[in-house]
Amino acid sequence: AQKITQTQPGMFVQEKEAVTLDCTYDTSDPSYGLFWYKQPSSGEMIFLIYQGSYDQQNATEGRYSLNFQKARKSANLVISASQLGDSAMYFCAMRRNQAGTALIFGKGTTLSVSS
Amino acid sequence: GAVVSQHPSWVICKSGTSVKIECRSLDFQATTMFWYRQFPKQSLMLMATSNEGSKATYEQGVEKDKFLINHASLTLSTLTVTSAHPEDSSFYICSAKPSGAPYEQYFGPGTRLTVT
């Protein structure tokens, strides 16, 4: 069965510092996709970054990068130069086995950025 | 582009009444839409997959007679919570998959339901 595990309920970081949010996954499918979403207190789900299982390079989007270690089945999100506006809940997710189907989410990590 | 709206954004209803939540893809067609539920400080859990023109597929443990889903057009899916109870109070989020795009999906802003 597919599973996403986020073991950090909460993380605290100061402005301008980098932070890593952990995510491990389990799947028997050789083809899969991993996502990170940000959910501020307003509730909207904001897409941050995507990594396909066959992608050779780690995905990057601005201040966000995904540290993809396939053998370890980990897909950690790295946020560089944290900003106060980064304070939110962060979810790691995996596409379900069949293309075009829904996402399986981890339990999330609450990130708090202080000045 | 790729905007998904939900209406209403929040609703309060009395126990025993029904409430309908709409999910619209504004600038693309979506043959498939997904409905998720999120309790406070918890993760999103898939409730059902809605396919245009056919019956929805419900996840195990989700009562299909209580959570009615209708995907009558390529841009609209509705979730009706029938005979609502306080335990149905939750944040309901839809997402829409553009037709012909196997991996993309876009989330709506969510609907907060409170049943008193």
Side-chain angles (χ1 to χ4, degrees):
Chain A
Q2 294 177 285
K3 189 177 180 181
I4 293 284
T5 302
Q6 293 179 257
T7 57
Q8 306 156 314
M11 289 287 285
F12 298 86
V13 67
Q14 287 207 310
E15 259 187 309
K16 301 179 186 176
E17 291 184 350
V19 63
T20 298
L21 305 184
D22 294 343
C23 173
T24 58
Y25 60 91
D26 193 17
T27 181
S28 57
D29 195 331
S31 175
Y32 51 89
L34 297 157
F35 302 76
W36 276 92
Y37 285 88
K38 172 184 177 182
Q39 186 180 43
S41 56
S42 59
E44 60 183 311
M45 295 292 286
I46 301 170
F47 166 75
L48 296 178
I49 198 165
Y50 170 80
Q51 179 85 42
S53 59
Y54 293 122
D55 293 343
Q56 295 295 316
Q57 294 192 334
N58 288 345
T60 59
E61 290 285 350
R63 295 187 298 114
Y64 304 107
S65 60
L66 200 151
N67 185 358
F68 182 46
Q69 299 191 33
K70 199 169 181 177
R72 288 181 153 189
K73 293 190 173 180
S74 76
N76 298 340
L77 177 71
V78 180
I79 305 175
S80 63
S82 296
Q83 301 172 355
L84 294 177
D86 293 335
S87 294
M89 186 81 140
Y90 288 80
F91 290 100
C92 179
M94 170 184 285
R95 193 178 64 231
R96 284 170 70 156
N97 279 343
Q98 294 175 344
T101 56
L103 299 178
I104 299 168
F105 288 88
K107 290 188 175 182
T109 296
T110 300
L111 176 65
S112 299
V113 181
S114 59
S115 56
Chain B
V3 178
V4 176
S5 70
Q6 278 185 245
H7 178 79
S9 54
W10 60 270
V11 58
I12 301 172
C13 71
K14 291 189 175 181
S15 190
T17 61
S18 296
V19 61
K20 181 186 286 187
I21 303 169
E22 293 184 349
C23 177
R24 290 182 187 274
S25 56
L26 297 185
D27 49 5
F28 65 95
Q29 293 185 333
T31 48
T32 303
M33 292 184 176
F34 305 104
W35 287 96
Y36 296 85
R37 180 168 54 184
Q38 184 182 28
F39 292 109
K41 305 223 183 276
Q42 294 190 24
S43 187
L44 280 75
M45 299 300 293
L46 180 68
M47 298 176 66
T49 300
S50 167
N51 293 299
E52 188 265 338
S54 64
K55 289 185 179 179
T57 304
Y58 291 82
E59 294 299 296
Q60 195 171 11
V62 177
E63 299 174 59
K64 61 181 179 182
D65 294 332
K66 179 169 185 60
F67 298 100
L68 301 179
I69 291 172
N70 187 333
H71 193 154
S73 78
L74 287 172
T75 58
L76 174 64
S77 175
T78 60
L79 168 68
T80 302
V81 183
T82 63
S83 187
H85 288 104
E87 55 265 32
D88 298 324
S89 299
S90 187
F91 192 57
Y92 293 86
I93 307 176
C94 73
S95 71
K97 185 183 85 64
S99 303
Y103 302 131
E104 296 172 37
Q105 62 180 286
Y106 301 94
F107 283 87
T111 296
R112 197 166 301 279
L113 170 64
T114 302
V115 184
T116 61

